[in-house]
Amino acid sequence: MITALKFTLLLLALAFAQGLHYNYIDELDKEAGTVRAVQASQYVSLWPLPQKVKILDLSFKLTSFNIVDAKESSAGSSCSLLQDAYRRYYEYMFGIAKRQGPRKSRLTGPSELTELQVWITSPDSECDGYPSVTSDESYELSVDLPYAVLKAPKVWGALHGLETFSQLVYEDQYGAKSINSTAISDFPRFAHRGILLDSSRHFLPLKVILANLETMAMNKFNVFHWHIVDDQSFPYLSRTFPQLSQQGAYHPYTHVYTPADVKMVIEFGRLRGIRVVPEFDTPGHTQSWGKGQKDLLTPCYSGSKPSGSFGPVNPILNTTYDFMSQFFKEISTVFPDAYVHLGGDEVDFTCWKSNPDIQKFMDQQGYGQDYKKLESFYIQKLLDIVTTTHKGYMIWQEVFDNGVKLKPDTVVHVWIGGGANEEMGKVTAAGYTTILSAPWYLDYISYAQDWQKYYKVEPLDFDGTEEQKKLVIGGEACLWGEYVDATNLTPRLWPRASAVAERLWSAKDVTDINDAFNRLSVHRCRMVARGIPAEPLFSSYCPREYKGI
Amino acid sequence: MITALKFTLLLLALAFAQGLHYNYIDELDKEAGTVRAVQASQYVSLWPLPQKVKILDLSFKLTSFNIVDAKESSAGSSCSLLQDAYRRYYEYMFGIAKRQGPRKSRLTGPSELTELQVWITSPDSECDGYPSVTSDESYELSVDLPYAVLKAPKVWGALHGLETFSQLVYEDQYGAKSINSTAISDFPRFAHRGILLDSSRHFLPLKVILANLETMAMNKFNVFHWHIVDDQSFPYLSRTFPQLSQQGAYHPYTHVYTPADVKMVIEFGRLRGIRVVPEFDTPGHTQSWGKGQKDLLTPCYSGSKPSGSFGPVNPILNTTYDFMSQFFKEISTVFPDAYVHLGGDEVDFTCWKSNPDIQKFMDQQGYGQDYKKLESFYIQKLLDIVTTTHKGYMIWQEVFDNGVKLKPDTVVHVWIGGGANEEMGKVTAAGYTTILSAPWYLDYISYAQDWQKYYKVEPLDFDGTEEQKKLVIGGEACLWGEYVDATNLTPRLWPRASAVAERLWSAKDVTDINDAFNRLSVHRCRMVARGIPAEPLFSSYCPREYKGI
C-alpha cells in the first residue's frame, strides 16, 4: 500500500545535524589541514539497502506508538514468532523503561504516527514453520498516516520489514522519536546469506552464539552455518554417542552443547528467520571424533607398526558406515533444516598411505596410488547414507573437484582463495547450486578498513551463462575460530560481516563505497546501542558508546 | 627470607594434568596426523617472569588463608593502598563469595598455609605517595611454612609481589587452592613500562580505562601514557578553558573527562603502582583545540585569502604562549606525575607555508624556508613554559631530531618504524634518556600470533656504549585509537601487550618463545577468569571462559 504523496526525496539533513545519528571524522586532510566530517546518506542508516526506497521530507512523531497485527493478517496474536518480534523491535526503538504503567488514551496530533500494522498476506503465514532456502522473504513497507503498514506474504518478510522500520526511526537529542513518510519494496538478491562460526577451535558459550544470531537478524542474514566440531574439540553432545563429547570436548560438562542448548539455538534462529545448518565435517578434521569412538579413525603407521596417532576417518571398515548411519540419523532429527553441511575439505592422505590395510584395499579396488578415489569412495557412501535421512547436503568444493557423484540439489561451497571465479564457473557449468565464501574469510584480519574489500566483491563476476548465474544462491562470511573466542568474536565479526550482508541482500548496482561508509557508520552505532560490541570503522563516536569493556 | 629447603625444582606436572590451568591445542601436525598439546612450563603461569624463581615440589593447601601486614612492616593497617590490594588479590584468588560468614578458628594441618605476611622494609613505605621513574619496585617472596613472607622496600614492590603470589596459586578441579614452596627475588629490568591509549580518535569510557589499568597491574606495567586529546576530539575538561571540551569534544557532556574522572584515573593507577603521564600534543595534532580557543591555530590561506581551515598552533602570536602558560599550569597541578608528554610529532608545514604573516615572521627571524626552525622556535618556548611548572617532559623523537635544546632529564620517545635502532643510538649518544615504542605499535594488526614479534624485540639491540644503554629506561606499547574503541580495545590490547610487559620486566635472556607461549596461555586465561576479555593466542580453551560477548 504505497502512498503516492508527491513529496520529493530529500536529504534528512536536519535529523543528522543534531549529531545524534553518526559522527564520523575522516582522516586528517593533509592538504587542507582540516578534519572532514562524513556526509549523510540520502538513505539515512538503512543497512542493507532495500531494493526500492522512497523517503519523503514529511516526518511523523512516534507517540503512544504500537505494533499490531493488521485485521486482515493471516497471522494473529497466536503467532508467537511475530509477537516476540514486536516486543523485540519495540524495545530496540523505545527501550525497556518506556513501556511501564498503563497506556493513557489521548488525542494524537495531525503529524503523529501511532501504529504499525503488520499484515501477513499469504493464507499460510509459516509462523510455526522453519525458514528454508525457498522462503519468501519479501515485504512492503508504507509509513504514512493514519498508520504505517508492513505487508509480507510470510512471517519471514515481516521480520525483515520490522528491522527496516526500526532503522527508519530517528531521535532528536532529547530522545523524542520520529520517522519520515516512506515507501519501501524489498526482497533479497540472494536466498542464502550466511555466517559461519566455528565452535571447535574455541568453544563459544551459548550467550555468544545467541548474541550473534541477534546481530545477524539486524543485518538480514538468514543462515547460521554452525561449524560445530573439528579436530580440536567435539562439543556436540550426541544422545546416541555421548562418548564423542565426553572424550572429545575440551571439557565434558562446561564446554559442550547439550540437546537443550542446540534446541535453543535453533529456536532462537527460527524466531529471527535464520536457518541453522550444522556442519559435521568428515573424513578429515576429525581428530576429536576419534577420542570417543574407537576404530573410527585410520591408525597411522610408522614403518610396519602403528605409530599411535590417527588420520582421517577409516574408509575401509563397515563399522565406520554403521556409525555414520546412526550418527546422521540423529543429526537429521535434531536439526530441522533441510540441509546438513558434510564438509569434505582438506583431507590429508599421509596417514592413509602409511596404513597397510588401506594399501591393500586400494589394490583390491584398483585405485593404484590415487587416494582421491578412496576419498571419493568414502564420501559417496556417506552421501548415500545422508540421503536416506531425507536431507539435502552442502559440501566444500573439494568433493565436487574430486568428481564425486552428487545429488542435483547439492550445494557446493566455494572457499579456496585464488581461482574462486573459475571454480564458480565450473561448479555452475556442471549444473550445481553454489555458494561463495572464498573472498569472505573474516578470520584473516588486517589494518584499517578491510570491510571495503568484502563489500566490493561481486559474486556473479565469473564467466558463465545466465543460467549458470542463477545457480549461485548466495554466500557466507566465515569466521574460523583459531584466534577467536568469546573475548573477541563479536567485535571482529561486526560490522565487517555487515559488508557481506549488503552485498548478498541489496541490488547488484548498490556499490557506492562512500554512501556505504556513511550508512554503515550509523548502522554500527545502532548495533552498539543495541548492546552489540560492533567495532568502529574509523575515528568517530557513537551517541551511546558500548557499555562493556 | 628465602628458605633453604633442598627440594629439587620439578615440573608441576600434577597441577597441569588436571587440565584446569591451560589447555592449548597446537596446530594439527600434518606429518603425524595428530593434535599436539602444549607443554607445561617449569615456571607454571608466571608472567612476566621474575628475575629469580625457585619453585619446589612441596605444595601447601591454602585454607583459612589471609593476607596481613607483617608486625615489622613500616606500612600498617592505615595504608589503604595495601589494604585495598589485599582485598583485590584475595578476591582474585578466592572469589568474592568465599569470604562470607565469620571466620572459624580451627587447627590447620601440617601442609596448610594460612598467611601471607607483607613486610615493607624501608622506613618510608611511600604508601601515600605517587610512583615515579625512580621508584623501588623490587620485592622478595618466600612461600613456606609457617607463613609466606613478601618483603619489599616500598609499597610498589609489594604490589608486584602480591600479583606474583596470586600467579603461584593453582586449583584442583573442585576449586581447592594450593601453592608450592617458592622463593622469588624480583625487580624490573626497565623502570618505564608503559601503555599508550588514545582517547581522542575514539572516546574511551572511564570503565574501559580503569579495566585496562587493572590489567596493566596484572602485567606489571607502571606507566599509563594517556594520549588524551588530538585532532579528532578534545575530551579533557579544562577548568581554566572549559570551551576546549565544550566545543572540541565529540559531545560536551557524554564524551568528556571531568576533573573528577581524571582524579579517579590517577588514583586508580596510583593504587596499582601506575603513573599517569598525560600527553598534550602540540603544535600539530591540534584541530580540536582550535574549536574552543580562538586564534590558537594558524589560519591557512588559499592564495591571498584565508581558506577557512586551520593548521598547527600559531607560533608567531604572543597570545599562543599566554594560553599555553595558563593551560600547562593547570595540567601541572591536575596531574601529579613528574613528567608530562608534550608530543611534537608530525607537524605539517603546508598551512604555515600558505600564511603570509608566518612568511613575514620567517623572514624577520632569518629562517628562510626552513620551517623546522619555526617548529623548533615554538617547541623551545613551550618547553621553557613547562619548565616553569616544575615538570619534566617527554617528547616524540622529531623534537630531538630537529635540534631543539632539551633539558638533561628529557625523555625522548622513539616511535618511527625503520631506523629505530639508529635513532636509539643517536638519542643516547647525545646523552638523553629514551623510551622505545617503534616496534610496539599494537594498533597495527595482522593474522595469527603477532605477539611473538613484539616479544622478540630487544630494546638494547643498537650500537652504543654501556653508558648509552643505561639511558634506555624502557618502552611503551601504543594502541592508537583510529580503529579502536570500547567495543574492541581490551581484547586487541591483551595479551599482545603482555609480550611487551615481559620484555620490559624480565631478564634479557628470557627469550624462549615456546616457554613464553606456555606461560602466556595460562596468563591469558587468568586475565579472562578475572573478567578481562583477553583474546586467545591460538586454538584452546580456558576453564572459565569470558562471560560477556
Side-chain angles (χ1 to χ4, degrees):
Chain A
M1 203 171 95
I2 299 178
T3 57
L5 288 174
K6 293 204 173 177
F7 291 96
T8 54
L9 196 145
L10 253 172
L11 282 187
L12 293 176
L14 271 176
F16 288 99
Q18 293 154 357
L20 266 166
H21 267 72
Y22 77 104
N23 295 274
Y24 265 78
I25 300 297
D26 213 339
E27 202 155 12
L28 182 66
D29 185 331
K30 296 270 179 188
E31 290 303 304
T34 59
V35 177
R36 285 182 286 115
V38 167
Q39 302 304 304
S41 165
Q42 64 173 332
Y43 298 115
V44 201
S45 69
L46 289 171
W47 194 278
L49 193 66
Q51 300 287 342
K52 288 182 199 160
V53 184
K54 199 172 196 177
I55 302 175
L56 309 184
D57 68 345
L58 175 67
S59 80
F60 309 124
K61 290 252 177 283
L62 293 178
T63 45
S64 304
F65 184 79
N66 212 357
I67 308 173
V68 299
D69 300 308
K71 272 198 284 298
E72 310 88 332
S73 180
S74 65
S77 59
S78 66
C79 176
S80 63
L81 180 147
L82 281 183
Q83 305 305 320
D84 274 10
Y86 299 166
R87 274 192 287 276
R88 192 160 67 244
Y89 282 101
Y90 190 92
E91 188 178 326
Y92 282 158
M93 291 185 285
F94 306 107
I96 289 174
K98 308 288 170 59
R99 195 64 183 278
Q100 289 163 349
R103 183 72 72 83
K104 287 171 193 143
S105 80
R106 62 171 191 81
L107 291 175
T108 55
S111 69
E112 293 182 18
L113 187 71
T114 58
E115 215 166 75
L116 169 64
Q117 298 193 354
V118 179
W119 180 358
I120 308 299
T121 58
S122 157
D124 177 10
S125 69
E126 297 182 9
C127 175
D128 297 313
Y130 288 94
S132 77
V133 70
T134 57
S135 289
D136 187 331
E137 299 182 278
S138 70
Y139 67 94
E140 297 202 336
L141 177 63
S142 154
V143 180
D144 199 359
L145 295 182
Y147 41 76
V149 178
L150 168 59
K151 281 170 76 171
K154 308 288 181 183
V155 291
W156 319 117
L159 291 171
H160 295 314
L162 285 166
E163 173 62 35
T164 300
F165 183 87
S166 76
Q167 295 188 358
L168 290 168
V169 175
Y170 55 94
E171 64 179 24
D172 68 20
Q173 65 185 101
Y174 305 105
K177 307 292 191 299
S178 299
I179 191 167
N180 276 46
S181 179
T182 301
I184 286 177
S185 175
D186 201 12
F187 54 87
R189 181 178 174 209
F190 293 104
H192 186 116
R193 306 178 307 280
I195 294 281
L196 177 149
L197 298 183
D198 168 2
S199 57
S200 175
R201 275 61 180 249
H202 288 97
F203 180 78
L204 301 176
L206 206 57
K207 186 178 175 182
V208 172
I209 293 179
L210 300 186
N212 280 280
L213 286 168
E214 188 81 67
T215 319
M216 285 171 66
M218 298 175 199
N219 289 273
K220 297 189 170 69
F221 275 109
N222 68 351
V223 180
F224 170 37
H225 175 163
W226 194 353
H227 189 86
I228 190 166
V229 301
D230 205 296
D231 283 320
Q232 286 80 356
S233 75
F234 196 103
Y236 173 76
L237 201 165
S238 162
R239 284 189 200 273
T240 321
F241 300 99
Q243 288 303 312
L244 289 170
S245 60
Q246 188 68 29
Q247 304 296 326
Y250 279 134
H251 189 285
Y253 301 127
T254 59
H255 287 64
V256 294
Y257 301 107
T258 65
D261 292 338
V262 172
K263 253 196 174 129
M264 185 178 292
V265 169
I266 293 167
E267 180 63 6
F268 196 93
R270 187 187 80 82
L271 290 174
R272 287 153 184 81
I274 298 170
R275 301 164 54 199
V276 177
V277 177
E279 176 180 356
F280 289 91
D281 190 358
T282 65
H285 291 277
T286 48
Q287 288 294 306
S288 68
W289 301 52
K291 295 182 182 173
Q293 185 64 20
K294 198 167 162 286
D295 295 336
L296 181 63
L297 303 186
T298 307
C300 313
Y301 276 65
S302 180
S304 62
K305 286 180 178 172
S307 68
S309 63
F310 294 88
V313 165
N314 193 331
I316 66 170
L317 299 181
N318 288 334
T319 52
T320 291
Y321 301 102
D322 294 343
F323 167 82
M324 291 295 172
S325 294
Q326 287 186 73
F327 184 77
F328 279 100
K329 191 174 169 198
E330 173 183 321
I331 296 308
S332 74
T333 60
V334 168
F335 292 91
D337 198 79
Y339 282 80
V340 58
H341 201 300
L342 298 176
D345 58 320
E346 298 184 311
V347 182
D348 183 59
F349 298 143
T350 317
C351 183
W352 279 350
K353 284 179 186 168
S354 77
N355 182 302
D357 297 330
I358 301 274
Q359 289 164 20
K360 198 167 147 197
F361 184 83
M362 294 282 288
D363 289 346
Q364 288 168 353
Q365 298 284 324
Y367 289 166
Q369 288 300 305
D370 189 352
Y371 284 86
K372 284 190 177 181
K373 286 189 175 151
L374 181 61
E375 181 183 349
S376 295
F377 170 85
Y378 166 81
I379 294 273
Q380 198 69 67
K381 288 178 77 88
L382 178 70
L383 297 187
D384 293 346
I385 285 167
V386 172
T387 300
T388 67
T389 70
H390 307 293
K391 291 286 185 190
Y393 41 76
M394 299 172 58
I395 40 90
W396 296 109
Q397 69 180 71
E398 287 99 317
V399 177
F400 165 81
D401 295 343
N402 290 347
V404 174
K405 190 180 150 210
L406 301 165
K407 281 193 297 184
D409 64 345
T410 300
V411 177
V412 179
H413 199 161
V414 174
W415 70 276
I416 298 179
N421 277 344
E422 292 69 26
E423 182 77 6
M424 297 289 282
K426 276 189 221 166
V427 171
T428 52
Y432 292 111
T433 304
T434 184
I435 59 172
L436 180 65
S437 278
W440 292 322
Y441 265 39
L442 271 55
D443 49 319
Y444 294 122
I445 56 170
S446 56
Y447 186 69
Q449 302 195 41
D450 57 1
W451 70 271
Q452 300 190 354
K453 183 175 65 184
Y454 307 131
Y455 190 77
K456 288 172 181 165
V457 171
E458 169 44 54
L460 303 190
D461 198 11
F462 62 88
D463 291 333
T465 63
E466 279 310 300
E467 282 309 301
Q468 280 178 264
K469 305 288 170 97
K470 282 180 189 156
L471 290 167
V472 180
I473 58 167
E476 293 183 359
C478 300
L479 192 63
W480 295 101
E482 283 84 350
Y483 300 101
V484 174
D485 71 1
T487 63
N488 62 348
L489 184 145
T490 310
R492 190 162 291 189
L493 187 56
W494 310 103
R496 294 162 76 228
S498 301
V500 182
E502 177 148 304
R503 183 55 50 237
L504 293 173
W505 179 280
S506 302
K508 186 173 183 172
D509 62 359
V510 177
T511 55
D512 181 335
I513 199 83
N514 292 320
D515 189 66
F517 176 82
N518 296 336
R519 285 183 291 113
L520 189 52
S521 298
V522 195
H523 181 53
R524 139 28 221 192
C525 284
R526 179 169 46 229
M527 290 191 276
V528 170
R530 292 177 180 183
I532 303 301
E535 68 178 20
L537 298 181
F538 196 52
S539 300
S540 67
Y541 83 99
C542 294
R544 296 184 182 86
E545 301 290 356
Y546 184 58
K547 301 272 184 234
I549 54 163
Chain B
M1 203 171 97
I2 301 178
T3 56
L5 287 174
K6 294 205 173 178
F7 291 96
T8 53
L9 197 146
L10 252 173
L11 283 187
L12 293 176
L14 271 175
F16 288 99
Q18 293 155 357
L20 265 167
H21 267 72
Y22 76 104
N23 296 274
Y24 265 77
I25 300 296
D26 213 341
E27 202 155 12
L28 183 66
D29 184 331
K30 294 273 180 187
E31 290 303 305
T34 59
V35 176
R36 284 182 286 114
V38 167
Q39 302 301 306
S41 165
Q42 63 173 332
Y43 297 116
V44 200
S45 68
L46 290 171
W47 193 278
L49 193 66
Q51 300 288 342
K52 287 182 200 160
V53 185
K54 200 173 194 176
I55 302 175
L56 310 184
D57 68 345
L58 175 66
S59 80
F60 309 124
K61 290 251 177 285
L62 292 178
T63 45
S64 304
F65 184 80
N66 212 356
I67 308 174
V68 299
D69 299 308
K71 274 198 282 300
E72 309 88 332
S73 180
S74 65
S77 59
S78 66
C79 175
S80 63
L81 179 148
L82 282 182
Q83 304 305 320
D84 274 11
Y86 299 167
R87 274 192 286 276
R88 192 161 69 245
Y89 282 102
Y90 191 92
E91 190 178 324
Y92 282 158
M93 291 186 284
F94 306 106
I96 289 175
K98 308 287 170 59
R99 195 64 184 278
Q100 288 163 347
R103 181 73 68 85
K104 287 172 194 144
S105 80
R106 64 170 189 80
L107 292 176
T108 55
S111 68
E112 294 183 18
L113 187 72
T114 59
E115 215 166 76
L116 169 64
Q117 297 192 355
V118 179
W119 181 357
I120 307 300
T121 58
S122 158
D124 178 10
S125 69
E126 296 182 9
C127 176
D128 298 314
Y130 287 94
S132 78
V133 71
T134 57
S135 289
D136 187 332
E137 298 182 279
S138 70
Y139 68 93
E140 296 201 337
L141 177 63
S142 154
V143 180
D144 200 359
L145 296 183
Y147 41 77
V149 177
L150 169 59
K151 282 170 75 172
K154 307 288 182 185
V155 292
W156 318 119
L159 290 172
H160 294 315
L162 286 166
E163 173 62 35
T164 300
F165 183 87
S166 76
Q167 295 189 358
L168 291 168
V169 175
Y170 55 93
E171 63 179 25
D172 68 21
Q173 66 185 99
Y174 304 105
K177 306 293 190 299
S178 299
I179 191 168
N180 276 46
S181 178
T182 302
I184 286 177
S185 174
D186 201 13
F187 54 88
R189 181 179 174 208
F190 292 105
H192 186 117
R193 306 178 308 281
I195 294 281
L196 178 150
L197 298 183
D198 168 1
S199 57
S200 174
R201 275 62 179 251
H202 288 96
F203 179 78
L204 301 175
L206 206 58
K207 186 178 176 183
V208 171
I209 293 178
L210 300 185
N212 280 281
L213 286 169
E214 188 81 66
T215 319
M216 285 172 65
M218 299 176 199
N219 290 273
K220 297 187 170 69
F221 275 109
N222 68 350
V223 180
F224 170 37
H225 176 163
W226 194 353
H227 189 86
I228 190 166
V229 302
D230 205 298
D231 284 319
Q232 286 80 357
S233 76
F234 197 102
Y236 173 76
L237 200 166
S238 163
R239 285 188 200 273
T240 321
F241 300 99
Q243 287 303 312
L244 289 170
S245 60
Q246 188 68 30
Q247 303 296 327
Y250 279 134
H251 189 286
Y253 302 127
T254 59
H255 287 64
V256 294
Y257 301 106
T258 66
D261 292 339
V262 172
K263 252 196 174 131
M264 185 179 291
V265 169
I266 292 167
E267 180 63 6
F268 196 94
R270 188 189 80 82
L271 291 173
R272 286 153 184 81
I274 297 169
R275 301 163 54 198
V276 177
V277 177
E279 177 180 354
F280 289 92
D281 190 358
T282 65
H285 290 276
T286 48
Q287 288 295 305
S288 68
W289 301 52
K291 295 182 182 171
Q293 185 64 21
K294 197 168 162 286
D295 294 336
L296 181 63
L297 303 187
T298 307
C300 313
Y301 277 66
S302 181
S304 62
K305 286 180 179 172
S307 68
S309 63
F310 295 87
V313 166
N314 193 331
I316 67 169
L317 300 181
N318 288 333
T319 52
T320 292
Y321 301 102
D322 294 342
F323 168 82
M324 291 295 172
S325 294
Q326 287 186 73
F327 184 78
F328 279 101
K329 190 174 168 195
E330 172 184 321
I331 297 307
S332 74
T333 60
V334 168
F335 291 90
D337 198 79
Y339 282 80
V340 58
H341 201 301
L342 298 176
D345 58 320
E346 297 184 312
V347 182
D348 184 60
F349 298 143
T350 318
C351 182
W352 279 350
K353 284 179 187 170
S354 78
N355 182 303
D357 297 329
I358 300 274
Q359 290 164 19
K360 198 167 148 197
F361 184 83
M362 293 283 288
D363 290 344
Q364 288 168 351
Q365 297 285 325
Y367 291 165
Q369 287 302 305
D370 189 353
Y371 285 85
K372 283 190 180 181
K373 287 189 176 151
L374 182 61
E375 181 183 350
S376 295
F377 170 85
Y378 167 80
I379 294 273
Q380 198 69 66
K381 288 179 76 88
L382 179 69
L383 298 187
D384 294 345
I385 285 167
V386 173
T387 300
T388 67
T389 69
H390 307 293
K391 292 286 185 189
Y393 41 76
M394 299 173 56
I395 39 89
W396 295 110
Q397 69 179 70
E398 286 99 318
V399 178
F400 165 81
D401 295 343
N402 291 347
V404 174
K405 190 181 150 209
L406 301 165
K407 280 193 299 184
D409 64 345
T410 301
V411 177
V412 179
H413 200 161
V414 174
W415 71 276
I416 298 179
N421 278 344
E422 292 68 27
E423 182 75 6
M424 296 289 282
K426 276 189 220 167
V427 171
T428 53
Y432 292 110
T433 304
T434 185
I435 58 172
L436 181 65
S437 278
W440 292 321
Y441 266 40
L442 271 56
D443 48 319
Y444 293 122
I445 55 170
S446 56
Y447 185 69
Q449 302 194 40
D450 56 1
W451 69 272
Q452 300 190 353
K453 183 175 67 185
Y454 307 130
Y455 190 77
K456 287 173 182 166
V457 171
E458 169 44 53
L460 303 190
D461 199 12
F462 62 88
D463 291 334
T465 63
E466 280 310 301
E467 282 309 303
Q468 281 178 263
K469 306 287 170 95
K470 282 179 188 156
L471 290 168
V472 180
I473 58 167
E476 292 183 359
C478 300
L479 192 63
W480 295 100
E482 283 85 350
Y483 300 102
V484 174
D485 71 1
T487 61
N488 62 347
L489 183 147
T490 310
R492 189 163 290 189
L493 187 57
W494 310 104
R496 293 163 76 227
S498 302
V500 183
E502 177 148 304
R503 181 56 51 237
L504 292 174
W505 179 280
S506 304
K508 185 172 184 172
D509 62 358
V510 177
T511 55
D512 182 335
I513 198 85
N514 292 319
D515 189 65
F517 177 82
N518 296 336
R519 285 183 292 113
L520 189 53
S521 298
V522 194
H523 181 54
R524 154 358 238 197
C525 283
R526 179 169 46 230
M527 291 189 276
V528 170
R530 292 177 181 183
I532 304 300
E535 68 179 19
L537 299 181
F538 196 53
S539 299
S540 66
Y541 83 99
C542 294
R544 295 184 183 84
E545 301 290 356
Y546 184 58
K547 301 271 185 235
I549 53 163

